[in-house]
Amino acid sequence: MRPPSPFPAVAALLAAVLTACTGGSGDGTTGSETSPSEETALSHIHGLGVDPADGRLYVATHEGVIAVADDGSSQRVSDTADYMGFTIAGPKTFLGSGHPAEGSGDHANRGLIKSTDAGETWKTLSLGGEVDFHALDYAHNTIYGYNSTGGLLRVSKDGKTWDKRAELAALDIAVSPNARTSC
């Protein structure tokens, strides 16, 4: 007899996260808090992470980064940019990529951006205007990014200089917690 599939539990958890993350005024402001019963559709979720600083779930979307509290309420903590790539690198330290908020005047491809205040403000570290990382991961003090515009996996220790690793078609990347690499 096969053990029960974990997929129903995963689907239920994802549904809870999606419901909790649909709150928001939709007015493009940051810090709009809502209850789980209020709903504003978010078009895509691109990344999830738990900040070790506060234990909250952070959700990267086409409409910004959303923090979800234990009670299910949500709050937009960033601008309304499209956060295509997202990972948490440490306490209050987030890495991202994607496209700027409408009317911001930023590069269409944001390269690698970094926040050290849990997503409230972001600074370009590298590759602004050149790269659109649709997948990011951080492990072993190393940043792994998948550049969707060129189908290229890149790796960096400092977020500024990058090694080109492999050309491939991917939707996401994951790094083994046991793997050890050198750049």
Side-chain angles (χ1 to χ4, degrees), residues 5-23:
S5 170
F7 293 113
V10 170
L13 175 62
L14 185 55
V17 168
L18 291 173
T19 300
C21 294
T22 58

mmCIF file of all heavy atoms in Angstrom, residues 5-23:
data_model
loop_
_atom_site.group_PDB
_atom_site.id
_atom_site.type_symbol
_atom_site.label_atom_id
_atom_site.label_comp_id
_atom_site.label_asym_id
_atom_site.label_seq_id
_atom_site.Cartn_x
_atom_site.Cartn_y
_atom_site.Cartn_z
ATOM 1 N N SER A 5 -0.640 10.672 -0.402
ATOM 2 C CA SER A 5 0.038 11.734 -1.149
ATOM 3 C C SER A 5 0.098 13.002 -0.328
ATOM 4 O O SER A 5 -0.885 13.379 0.323
ATOM 5 C CB SER A 5 -0.713 12.006 -2.448
ATOM 6 O OG SER A 5 -0.202 13.164 -3.065
ATOM 7 N N PRO A 6 1.240 13.733 -0.343
ATOM 8 C CA PRO A 6 1.323 15.002 0.370
ATOM 9 C C PRO A 6 0.649 16.140 -0.392
ATOM 10 O O PRO A 6 0.482 17.230 0.135
ATOM 11 C CB PRO A 6 2.828 15.247 0.472
ATOM 12 C CG PRO A 6 3.388 14.593 -0.753
ATOM 13 C CD PRO A 6 2.511 13.360 -0.950
ATOM 14 N N PHE A 7 0.224 15.890 -1.629
ATOM 15 C CA PHE A 7 -0.297 16.977 -2.459
ATOM 16 C C PHE A 7 -1.560 17.632 -1.910
ATOM 17 O O PHE A 7 -1.692 18.840 -1.991
ATOM 18 C CB PHE A 7 -0.478 16.511 -3.906
ATOM 19 C CG PHE A 7 0.827 16.209 -4.574
ATOM 20 C CD1 PHE A 7 1.158 14.926 -4.932
ATOM 21 C CD2 PHE A 7 1.749 17.224 -4.804
ATOM 22 C CE1 PHE A 7 2.378 14.651 -5.519
ATOM 23 C CE2 PHE A 7 2.975 16.948 -5.403
ATOM 24 C CZ PHE A 7 3.289 15.662 -5.749
ATOM 25 N N PRO A 8 -2.524 16.892 -1.320
ATOM 26 C CA PRO A 8 -3.680 17.601 -0.761
ATOM 27 C C PRO A 8 -3.287 18.573 0.350
ATOM 28 O O PRO A 8 -3.810 19.681 0.422
ATOM 29 C CB PRO A 8 -4.572 16.469 -0.235
ATOM 30 C CG PRO A 8 -4.206 15.288 -1.065
ATOM 31 C CD PRO A 8 -2.720 15.449 -1.328
ATOM 32 N N ALA A 9 -2.364 18.190 1.212
ATOM 33 C CA ALA A 9 -1.926 19.089 2.290
ATOM 34 C C ALA A 9 -1.203 20.298 1.721
ATOM 35 O O ALA A 9 -1.411 21.427 2.169
ATOM 36 C CB ALA A 9 -1.020 18.338 3.269
ATOM 37 N N VAL A 10 -0.356 20.087 0.714
ATOM 38 C CA VAL A 10 0.357 21.198 0.082
ATOM 39 C C VAL A 10 -0.641 22.123 -0.598
ATOM 40 O O VAL A 10 -0.542 23.351 -0.482
ATOM 41 C CB VAL A 10 1.409 20.669 -0.920
ATOM 42 C CG1 VAL A 10 1.980 21.795 -1.751
ATOM 43 C CG2 VAL A 10 2.512 19.925 -0.183
ATOM 44 N N ALA A 11 -1.622 21.562 -1.279
ATOM 45 C CA ALA A 11 -2.632 22.386 -1.955
ATOM 46 C C ALA A 11 -3.421 23.206 -0.944
ATOM 47 O O ALA A 11 -3.716 24.377 -1.175
ATOM 48 C CB ALA A 11 -3.566 21.501 -2.778
ATOM 49 N N ALA A 12 -3.776 22.610 0.199
ATOM 50 C CA ALA A 12 -4.521 23.339 1.226
ATOM 51 C C ALA A 12 -3.680 24.478 1.796
ATOM 52 O O ALA A 12 -4.185 25.589 2.011
ATOM 53 C CB ALA A 12 -4.943 22.388 2.339
ATOM 54 N N LEU A 13 -2.389 24.225 2.050
ATOM 55 C CA LEU A 13 -1.504 25.271 2.555
ATOM 56 C C LEU A 13 -1.371 26.397 1.541
ATOM 57 O O LEU A 13 -1.476 27.575 1.891
ATOM 58 C CB LEU A 13 -0.121 24.700 2.877
ATOM 59 C CG LEU A 13 0.940 25.710 3.306
ATOM 60 C CD1 LEU A 13 0.517 26.409 4.602
ATOM 61 C CD2 LEU A 13 2.278 25.041 3.474
ATOM 62 N N LEU A 14 -1.182 26.062 0.271
ATOM 63 C CA LEU A 14 -1.056 27.081 -0.760
ATOM 64 C C LEU A 14 -2.345 27.893 -0.882
ATOM 65 O O LEU A 14 -2.297 29.114 -1.010
ATOM 66 C CB LEU A 14 -0.693 26.458 -2.110
ATOM 67 C CG LEU A 14 -0.419 27.425 -3.243
ATOM 68 C CD1 LEU A 14 0.660 28.421 -2.871
ATOM 69 C CD2 LEU A 14 -0.036 26.671 -4.491
ATOM 70 N N ALA A 15 -3.488 27.229 -0.793
ATOM 71 C CA ALA A 15 -4.764 27.953 -0.852
ATOM 72 C C ALA A 15 -4.873 28.932 0.303
ATOM 73 O O ALA A 15 -5.339 30.064 0.139
ATOM 74 C CB ALA A 15 -5.930 26.973 -0.843
ATOM 75 N N ALA A 16 -4.425 28.522 1.496
ATOM 76 C CA ALA A 16 -4.460 29.425 2.655
ATOM 77 C C ALA A 16 -3.548 30.617 2.440
ATOM 78 O O ALA A 16 -3.915 31.755 2.739
ATOM 79 C CB ALA A 16 -4.064 28.668 3.918
ATOM 80 N N VAL A 17 -2.368 30.369 1.902
ATOM 81 C CA VAL A 17 -1.435 31.469 1.636
ATOM 82 C C VAL A 17 -2.007 32.400 0.584
ATOM 83 O O VAL A 17 -1.984 33.618 0.733
ATOM 84 C CB VAL A 17 -0.060 30.925 1.186
ATOM 85 C CG1 VAL A 17 0.808 32.031 0.626
ATOM 86 C CG2 VAL A 17 0.641 30.235 2.339
ATOM 87 N N LEU A 18 -2.553 31.840 -0.488
ATOM 88 C CA LEU A 18 -3.119 32.675 -1.544
ATOM 89 C C LEU A 18 -4.280 33.507 -1.022
ATOM 90 O O LEU A 18 -4.415 34.674 -1.354
ATOM 91 C CB LEU A 18 -3.577 31.809 -2.717
ATOM 92 C CG LEU A 18 -2.469 31.143 -3.508
ATOM 93 C CD1 LEU A 18 -3.068 30.182 -4.534
ATOM 94 C CD2 LEU A 18 -1.574 32.149 -4.168
ATOM 95 N N THR A 19 -5.124 32.923 -0.187
ATOM 96 C CA THR A 19 -6.238 33.673 0.378
ATOM 97 C C THR A 19 -5.721 34.781 1.277
ATOM 98 O O THR A 19 -6.169 35.915 1.210
ATOM 99 C CB THR A 19 -7.162 32.732 1.184
ATOM 100 O OG1 THR A 19 -7.659 31.740 0.295
ATOM 101 C CG2 THR A 19 -8.321 33.499 1.800
ATOM 102 N N ALA A 20 -4.740 34.468 2.113
ATOM 103 C CA ALA A 20 -4.190 35.474 3.022
ATOM 104 C C ALA A 20 -3.494 36.581 2.271
ATOM 105 O O ALA A 20 -3.468 37.715 2.724
ATOM 106 C CB ALA A 20 -3.218 34.810 3.996
ATOM 107 N N CYS A 21 -2.957 36.278 1.107
ATOM 108 C CA CYS A 21 -2.184 37.266 0.373
ATOM 109 C C CYS A 21 -3.001 38.063 -0.613
ATOM 110 O O CYS A 21 -2.460 38.901 -1.316
ATOM 111 C CB CYS A 21 -1.041 36.577 -0.373
ATOM 112 S SG CYS A 21 0.140 35.865 0.745
ATOM 113 N N THR A 22 -4.294 37.821 -0.692
ATOM 114 C CA THR A 22 -5.071 38.568 -1.657
ATOM 115 C C THR A 22 -5.583 39.876 -1.114
ATOM 116 O O THR A 22 -6.199 40.640 -1.828
ATOM 117 C CB THR A 22 -6.265 37.738 -2.178
ATOM 118 O OG1 THR A 22 -7.061 37.359 -1.061
ATOM 119 C CG2 THR A 22 -5.790 36.540 -2.964
ATOM 120 N N GLY A 23 -5.301 40.171 0.139
ATOM 121 C CA GLY A 23 -5.750 41.432 0.703
ATOM 122 C C GLY A 23 -4.954 42.588 0.171
ATOM 123 O O GLY A 23 -3.832 42.445 -0.286
#
